[in-house]
Amino acid sequence: FYTMIQAGEFDAVVDVRAQDLWDLGHIEGAYFVESLGDYGITSSNTMMMMSTSTGSPDDLAGCEYCSIAVYCNNGVAADRAIQVLLTHGFKGQLYNGLGTVQWTAAGYPLANSTASIPPPCTQDQAVSD
C-alpha cells in the first residue's frame, strides 16, 4: 500500500475513521471522510456506531471514476466504506488499504497535521465516462 501511494497509483487516499482517530494520526496526504462506512445506518440499527458525524459519498463527488484507496484502523470500516461507494455508483478502482494498525506495524509514520487534502477529482467535477 505504501509503495502504491508513493508511486501515485491512487487519485485519492481516503481515511474513513472517526475524528478522534484522525486526530491521533493519519496517512500523509489523506482526505478525511468521517465514518463513511456508517453512511446510511440509522439509529434503530443495532450496528449503529457512536460517531456523531458521518461522511457521505457526496464528499467524493467527482471521484466516481477515480482510483481510490480507502483505509481505517484495521480494514473493516474501509471495506464497509467501499461497499457504500459501490452502492452509490462509484465505478473506479476501489482499494482497501486496510488500516493504520498495519501501516504503523510496517514502520510507516502517521501525520499529525489537521489538514485533510481534498482529491483533485473533487475540485473538478467534470468527469467523463
Side-chain angles (χ1 to χ4, degrees), residues 17-19 32-36 38-39 48-56 59:
R17 299 175 299 153
Q19 181 72 54
F32 182 52
V33 181
E34 186 171 5
S35 303
L36 178 60
D38 297 335
Y39 179 79
M48 177 65 183
M49 301 304 229
M50 296 308 294
S51 175
T52 57
S53 177
T54 302
S56 147
D59 294 328

Side-chain angles (χ1 to χ4, degrees), residues 10-93:
F10 303 111
D11 299 306
V13 176
V14 179
D15 184 318
V16 297
R17 299 175 299 153
Q19 181 72 54
D20 60 335
L21 295 174
W22 167 267
D23 292 343
L24 289 174
H26 51 273
I27 295 173
E28 185 72 37
Y31 182 51
F32 182 52
V33 181
E34 186 171 5
S35 303
L36 178 60
D38 297 335
Y39 179 79
I41 297 176
T42 64
S43 60
S44 63
N45 189 319
T46 57
M47 293 183 64
M48 177 65 183
M49 301 304 229
M50 296 308 294
S51 175
T52 57
S53 177
T54 302
S56 147
D58 292 341
D59 294 328
L60 291 166
C63 296
E64 292 85 351
Y65 294 92
C66 294
S67 174
I68 303 172
V70 181
Y71 76 92
C72 59
N73 194 48
N74 60 17
V76 175
D79 188 55
R80 288 195 317 261
I82 287 170
Q83 294 309 311
V84 167
L85 294 174
L86 289 170
T87 299
H88 286 84
F90 281 71
K91 306 264 189 251
Q93 176 190 9

Side-chain angles (χ1 to χ4, degrees), residues 5-6 13 26-31 71 103 109-113 115 117:
I5 291 173
Q6 296 304 307
V13 176
H26 51 273
I27 295 173
E28 185 72 37
Y31 182 51
Y71 76 92
W103 183 267
L110 293 176
N112 287 7
S113 68
I117 311 297

